[in-house]
Amino acid sequence: MTAADAYAELIRRSKELGVLNSCAAVLSWDQHTYMPARGAGLRGEQMAFLASLSHQKFTDPKIGELLAAVEGSDLVKEPDADASANVRELRRAYDRATKIPASLVDELARVTTAAQQAWEQAKKANQFATFRPHLERIVELKRQEADAVGFKDHRYNALIEEYEPGTTVVELKELFAGLTKRLVPLIQKVADSPKKPDRTILERDFPVERQKIFAESAAVALGFNFAAGRLDTTSHPFCSGFGPGDCRITTRYNPRFFPEAFFGVMHETGHALYEQNLPAEHFGTPLGVACSFGIHESQSRLWENQVGRSRPFWDHFFPRLRQTFPALADVSLEAFYFAVNDVKPSLIRVEADEATYNLHIALRFELELALLSGDLAVVDLPGAWNERFAALFGLAVPDDARGCLQDIHWSFGGLGYFPTYTLGNLYAAQFMVAVKSDLGAESLTEDMRRGDFGRLKDWLVNNIHRNGQRYRAGELCRRATGNPLSPESFLLYLNEKNSELRGVC
Ligand code: ZN
């Protein structure tokens, strides 16, 4: 078999797996939106069947043979060639999938299914003790997973690899140290500033039907294609791109709090624009898949925060908002803009503003590292959490439900996931600086004031979306912005916004 034949067969199999996995995505979306309660049993069987079929097909030794036949051939001589990127990423995923023993995969699935239920109950009852043995087992299994996959320097590197290939503990430590050192005093200055927004204007009557229509109109303005997607309601919002022509987003509505659904839709629309603009011809291969979790998150944060909490955005949308919601009749654009940009240390990550949010992640990253290295025993987690939280936020954690039990991630074994949220924030700010420099800051502002986001979207499509996994995140960032990732753009952005709003910087 020639290298070209091997590559063709590899791509055929990869695309077949793409179709198979998209079937699971449809079922999962349905499970979280419209499936009746009694469908859960059958759905569990359907999902397990598809997952095992997919794993079996992907770990077929034939895939390893095909990869070996292409590697070292002329097809992958140019690092930027289609085949090079596809082979590089298929190799990474194949090695990971085949190095982890089936018994460990089974054990992890069993343990995390039970752990998620235990976590839900422990959180409800505010009782860390009942979740503790589950988390101990998960940390132990994740260590085994890291050992099976192999790593340099730190086990955590093997776990990040699943979400942010190419990123390392050393890089993340440096990034978080630089960020935290400057965020903490900034947040303190904001807290000390006498200028405070009136948050209650966001807690008025916002009828759900009107929220839905308003949010949909904003999603359309951003470029979400409703002929190739839907917006539905769920308790935990998400975006799921099935593949070309079909991307689903969800949100949840609070009739007495405007930001929840609106900024949630902005966020998921950012994810969806990425999915809707991946190159369709590469569907099912790495070139048709988003670069990394961090880059995916950069797209949602860019539209949610950099655009959705900007002044020119609301110059355009606020008059329409006030027309839609009579409850805002006496509210000025200035007051509204200030309210949606409030910065205030709080206990819950998912409710945090864009500045304090990253301290929540810094805390989790530190603790995950300590858990994995054995420096921190699970039994000591609540104490370590509360102590570190007080140091970073100046707040006392009243209970574990609002402390170390608040997030679902550890219960599903997602150690290594959290840093991608902050990477997303940093990438988003750095991309926005590059967009402004390429398109002109003033003319971009004028675009937004008119409600025209086309040129911004096109920049993202050309520089980010259409590349799929052609480059790793670090390289993609260098190509799109001219620089490696750093916290500078994000910190500058926060400083500028807070000096504009409160004279603090
Ligand atoms: Zn997101």
Side-chain angles (χ1 to χ4, degrees), residues 251-398:
T251 194
R252 61 174 164 219
Y253 297 95
N254 181 339
R256 296 283 306 174
F257 187 56
F258 174 75
E260 185 160 348
F262 184 76
F263 289 106
V265 169
M266 293 290 288
H267 182 100
E268 301 309 335
T269 298
H271 282 304
L273 291 178
Y274 198 171
E275 292 291 320
Q276 288 189 330
N277 291 289
L278 287 165
E281 69 274 23
H282 291 300
F283 171 66
T285 71
L287 283 174
V289 178
C291 174
S292 73
F293 280 61
I295 297 294
H296 224 311
E297 197 63 10
S298 77
Q299 300 306 290
S300 57
R301 304 281 166 144
L302 187 144
W303 289 103
E304 177 193 356
N305 294 331
Q306 300 274 333
V307 174
R309 292 181 205 274
S310 75
R311 179 64 195 241
F313 180 89
W314 288 108
D315 283 340
H316 175 75
F317 277 104
F318 189 70
R320 289 156 179 81
L321 183 75
R322 213 160 48 175
Q323 249 170 21
T324 310
F325 300 105
L328 293 174
D330 63 334
V331 173
S332 71
L333 168 58
E334 283 69 28
F336 180 81
Y337 172 57
F338 198 7
V340 297
N341 279 291
D342 194 14
V343 170
K344 197 175 175 210
S346 61
L347 295 166
I348 308 296
R349 175 185 63 87
V350 296
E351 294 166 8
D353 58 80
E354 58 181 332
T356 60
Y357 187 93
N358 300 289
L359 295 183
H360 288 273
I361 303 303
L363 167 86
R364 287 156 177 76
F365 172 58
E366 252 176 58
L367 296 175
E368 284 188 345
L369 276 181
L371 283 173
L372 209 65
S373 67
D375 290 345
L376 175 66
V378 171
V379 66
D380 298 324
L381 177 64
W385 178 290
N386 298 350
E387 197 185 307
R388 207 52 198 118
F389 199 91
L392 282 171
F393 293 81
L395 291 176
V397 177

Side-chain angles (χ1 to χ4, degrees), residues 183-502:
L183 267 181
V184 169
L186 172 76
I187 291 163
Q188 190 56 49
K189 275 190 209 163
V190 169
D192 294 343
S193 156
K195 280 187 85 178
K196 306 264 184 248
D198 176 6
R199 294 163 72 108
T200 65
I201 58 177
L202 304 173
E203 297 163 6
R204 294 181 175 178
D205 255 346
F206 297 100
V208 167
E209 263 317 299
R210 289 179 178 220
Q211 282 195 53
K212 187 166 188 292
I213 292 164
F214 190 79
E216 276 180 354
S217 75
V220 168
L222 267 41
F224 184 83
N225 181 357
F226 275 94
R230 288 180 57 90
L231 169 62
D232 292 274
T233 308
T234 44
S235 51
H236 298 284
F238 63 87
C239 164
S240 181
F242 299 161
D246 202 344
C247 177
R248 312 293 176 95
I249 56 175
T250 70
T251 194
R252 61 174 164 219
Y253 297 95
N254 181 339
R256 296 283 306 174
F257 187 56
F258 174 75
E260 185 160 348
F262 184 76
F263 289 106
V265 169
M266 293 290 288
H267 182 100
E268 301 309 335
T269 298
H271 282 304
L273 291 178
Y274 198 171
E275 292 291 320
Q276 288 189 330
N277 291 289
L278 287 165
E281 69 274 23
H282 291 300
F283 171 66
T285 71
L287 283 174
V289 178
C291 174
S292 73
F293 280 61
I295 297 294
H296 224 311
E297 197 63 10
S298 77
Q299 300 306 290
S300 57
R301 304 281 166 144
L302 187 144
W303 289 103
E304 177 193 356
N305 294 331
Q306 300 274 333
V307 174
R309 292 181 205 274
S310 75
R311 179 64 195 241
F313 180 89
W314 288 108
D315 283 340
H316 175 75
F317 277 104
F318 189 70
R320 289 156 179 81
L321 183 75
R322 213 160 48 175
Q323 249 170 21
T324 310
F325 300 105
L328 293 174
D330 63 334
V331 173
S332 71
L333 168 58
E334 283 69 28
F336 180 81
Y337 172 57
F338 198 7
V340 297
N341 279 291
D342 194 14
V343 170
K344 197 175 175 210
S346 61
L347 295 166
I348 308 296
R349 175 185 63 87
V350 296
E351 294 166 8
D353 58 80
E354 58 181 332
T356 60
Y357 187 93
N358 300 289
L359 295 183
H360 288 273
I361 303 303
L363 167 86
R364 287 156 177 76
F365 172 58
E366 252 176 58
L367 296 175
E368 284 188 345
L369 276 181
L371 283 173
L372 209 65
S373 67
D375 290 345
L376 175 66
V378 171
V379 66
D380 298 324
L381 177 64
W385 178 290
N386 298 350
E387 197 185 307
R388 207 52 198 118
F389 199 91
L392 282 171
F393 293 81
L395 291 176
V397 177
D399 50 50
D400 293 336
R402 283 174 283 180
C404 67
L405 281 176
Q406 65 180 270
D407 293 311
I408 191 174
H409 301 60
W410 290 337
S411 74
F412 67 69
L415 281 91
Y417 190 130
F418 281 122
T420 66
Y421 293 127
T422 285
L423 289 174
N425 283 326
L426 303 186
Y427 279 126
Q430 198 163 320
F431 291 155
M432 207 57 186
V433 169
V435 176
K436 284 177 182 166
S437 137
D438 285 1
L439 304 181
E442 271 177 35
S443 74
L444 192 69
T445 299
E446 282 313 310
D447 281 8
M448 288 198 208
R449 285 210 177 107
R450 284 196 312 272
D452 176 359
F453 303 92
R455 289 197 309 145
L456 171 56
K457 196 197 94 179
D458 289 347
W459 189 96
L460 294 168
V461 170
N462 289 326
N463 287 278
I464 313 292
H465 305 167
R466 72 181 174 88
N467 286 312
Q469 295 188 337
R470 188 176 300 278
Y471 313 109
R472 290 271 166 90
E475 173 68 8
L476 184 72
C477 178
R478 265 188 297 276
R479 285 176 176 265
T481 73
N483 290 299
L485 179 66
S486 103
E488 292 308 314
S489 302
F490 179 70
L491 287 162
L492 190 67
Y493 157 79
L494 282 184
N495 276 323
E496 279 178 357
K497 186 175 264 185
N498 285 291
S499 72
E500 173 203 341
L501 285 169
R502 320 164 196 259

Side-chain angles (χ1 to χ4, degrees), residues 64-84:
E65 287 167 30
L66 294 169
L67 278 168
V70 183
E71 286 164 340
S73 78
D74 281 355
L75 281 174
V76 294
K77 228 169 50 191
E78 297 297 324
D80 288 358
D82 285 7
S84 300

Side-chain angles (χ1 to χ4, degrees), residues 92-245:
R92 181 183 62 79
Y94 177 76
D95 281 353
R96 191 174 185 95
T98 50
K99 280 178 179 171
I100 305 174
S103 57
L104 180 56
V105 174
D106 286 351
E107 177 79 351
L108 264 167
R110 207 175 49 74
V111 167
T112 53
T113 302
Q116 285 175 64
Q117 285 173 347
W119 165 76
E120 227 164 87
Q121 286 160 6
K123 185 178 169 182
K124 216 177 274 168
N126 185 27
Q127 221 164 36
F128 180 74
T130 56
F131 179 56
R132 197 193 83 202
H134 295 272
L135 187 56
E136 282 168 345
R137 190 75 191 119
I138 286 171
V139 171
E140 179 49 36
L141 292 173
K142 294 307 275 190
R143 279 197 195 121
Q144 290 176 23
E145 182 185 314
D147 290 342
V149 173
F151 58 87
K152 253 203 248 164
D153 306 327
H154 200 295
R155 281 200 177 95
Y156 198 78
N157 283 333
L159 303 185
I160 316 172
E161 187 80 5
E162 197 176 344
Y163 308 105
E164 205 65 20
T167 301
T168 63
V169 168
V170 172
E171 278 173 23
L172 287 175
K173 271 188 174 170
E174 195 188 310
L175 219 52
F176 276 109
L179 189 61
T180 307
K181 196 173 72 197
R182 286 163 62 194
L183 267 181
V184 169
L186 172 76
I187 291 163
Q188 190 56 49
K189 275 190 209 163
V190 169
D192 294 343
S193 156
K195 280 187 85 178
K196 306 264 184 248
D198 176 6
R199 294 163 72 108
T200 65
I201 58 177
L202 304 173
E203 297 163 6
R204 294 181 175 178
D205 255 346
F206 297 100
V208 167
E209 263 317 299
R210 289 179 178 220
Q211 282 195 53
K212 187 166 188 292
I213 292 164
F214 190 79
E216 276 180 354
S217 75
V220 168
L222 267 41
F224 184 83
N225 181 357
F226 275 94
R230 288 180 57 90
L231 169 62
D232 292 274
T233 308
T234 44
S235 51
H236 298 284
F238 63 87
C239 164
S240 181
F242 299 161

